[in-house]
């Protein structure tokens, strides 16, 4: 997925993040959010100039966001807003996964998180144009998050 693909989602992201005020419904908040997100995505697909390309883009985005650890890494990078070492990012992802402080997480768990980020999740997010990675310095930087 290219940076152009990521940029094509800016209007969709804006619509998803809009605050439409209180809703009078018996549905749960998460159920209501799910319905609104689906409706927004379907509207975006309907308005697309190239529906097949838009659907493929959407599949790519859902694939990227399907994994919790990838979502957590994106959230960590968005929180920092600047480059951080991959070991520091791995510690923060592990802390968010477990709900513990970094001090209470085993070194083995942090190492497992680091390895999965390095070998699986980070390359996908770099290829998508969301993050940059300097392997020599082991630094991760946000690009489009």
């Amino acid at each position: 997925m290219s940076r152009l693909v990521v940029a094509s989602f800016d209007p969709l992201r804006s619509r998803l993040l809009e605050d439409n005020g209180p809703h009078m419904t018996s549905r749960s908040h998460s159920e209501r959010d799910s319905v609104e997100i689906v409706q927004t995505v379907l509207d975006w697909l309907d308005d697309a100039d190239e529906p097949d390309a838009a659907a493929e883009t959407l599949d790519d985005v859902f694939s990227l966001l399907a994994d919790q650890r990838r979502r957590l890494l994106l959230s960590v990078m968005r929180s920092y807003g600047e480059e951080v070492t991959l070991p520091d990012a791995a510690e923060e992802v592990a802390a968010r996964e477990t709900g513990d402080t970094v001090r209470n997480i085993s070194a083995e768990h942090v190492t497992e998180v680091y390895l999965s980020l390095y070998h699986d999740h980070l390359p996908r997010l770099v290829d998508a144009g969301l993050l940059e990675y300097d392997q020599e310095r082991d630094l991760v930087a946000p690009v489009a998050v």
Side-chain angles (χ1 to χ4, degrees):
M1 184 166 49
S2 70
R3 292 170 205 261
L4 179 61
V5 168
V6 171
S8 73
F9 271 89
D10 286 341
L12 177 61
R13 181 174 49 174
S14 296
R15 286 182 58 195
L16 290 174
L17 296 176
E18 284 176 357
D19 180 13
N20 294 324
H23 298 275
M24 302 299 281
T25 180
S26 60
R27 285 191 237 153
S28 72
H29 181 71
S30 120
E31 204 174 53
R32 183 180 64 242
D33 287 348
S34 296
V35 169
E36 289 177 9
I37 290 169
V38 167
Q39 289 172 340
T40 300
V41 168
L42 291 174
D43 289 345
W44 181 79
L45 285 170
D46 287 344
D47 294 341
D49 293 334
E50 298 178 33
D52 290 341
E56 186 176 329
T57 298
L58 191 59
D59 290 344
D60 291 343
V61 169
F62 286 151
S63 177
L64 275 176
L65 296 176
D67 188 89
Q68 179 189 21
R69 193 165 279 171
R70 256 191 309 276
R71 292 189 309 270
L72 288 173
L73 178 58
L74 288 171
S75 177
V76 165
M77 295 312 300
R78 190 174 198 175
S79 296
Y80 281 91
E82 61 187 16
E83 64 184 22
V84 297
T85 67
L86 186 55
D88 287 345
E91 284 181 344
E92 184 65 28
V93 168
R96 292 182 186 197
E97 279 181 346
T98 62
D100 276 333
T101 62
V102 172
R103 282 187 212 153
N104 293 332
I105 300 170
S106 71
E108 293 81 16
H109 183 69
V110 173
T111 299
E112 186 271 323
V113 170
Y114 176 90
L115 291 172
S116 75
L117 293 177
Y118 180 82
H119 288 290
D120 182 20
H121 306 297
L122 185 58
R124 293 173 195 240
L125 296 170
V126 168
D127 288 346
L130 295 167
L131 301 177
E132 289 180 343
Y133 179 61
D134 180 341
Q135 188 169 10
E136 288 181 19
R137 296 173 36 207
D138 208 16
L139 289 175
V140 183
V143 175
V145 290

